[in-house]
């Protein structure tokens, strides 16, 4: 049973890796840069809230 779970995990990991590589090869450098900045730019500060 442990080997079955391990094999399933490896298949899922392989699928995710292939998906990331495939999407990276199809995308432009600008699009990849924008996607890489999403986690860093997720908290947008509204300047109007700072004035209040």
């Amino acid at each position: 049973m442990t080997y079955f779970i391990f094999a399933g995990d490896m298949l899922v990991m392989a699928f995710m890796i292939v998906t990331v590589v495939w999407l990276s090869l199809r995308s432009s450098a600008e699009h990849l840069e924008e996607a890489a900045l999403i986690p860093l730019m997720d908290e947008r500060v509204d300047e109007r809230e700072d004035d209040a």
Side-chain angles (χ1 to χ4, degrees), residues 15-43:
F15 172 75
M16 289 190 288
I17 291 169
V18 168
T19 302
V20 167
V21 170
W22 179 61
L23 290 173
S24 296
L25 291 175
R26 291 188 55 207
S27 300
S28 66
E30 294 84 20
H31 185 71
L32 290 174
E33 184 69 26
E34 289 176 14
L37 290 176
I38 290 173
L40 301 175
M41 306 291 283
D42 64 341
E43 295 181 13

Side-chain angles (χ1 to χ4, degrees), residues 44-52:
R44 296 187 183 198
V45 178
D46 190 4
E47 293 177 8
R48 290 174 287 171
E49 292 178 2
D50 292 339
D51 294 338

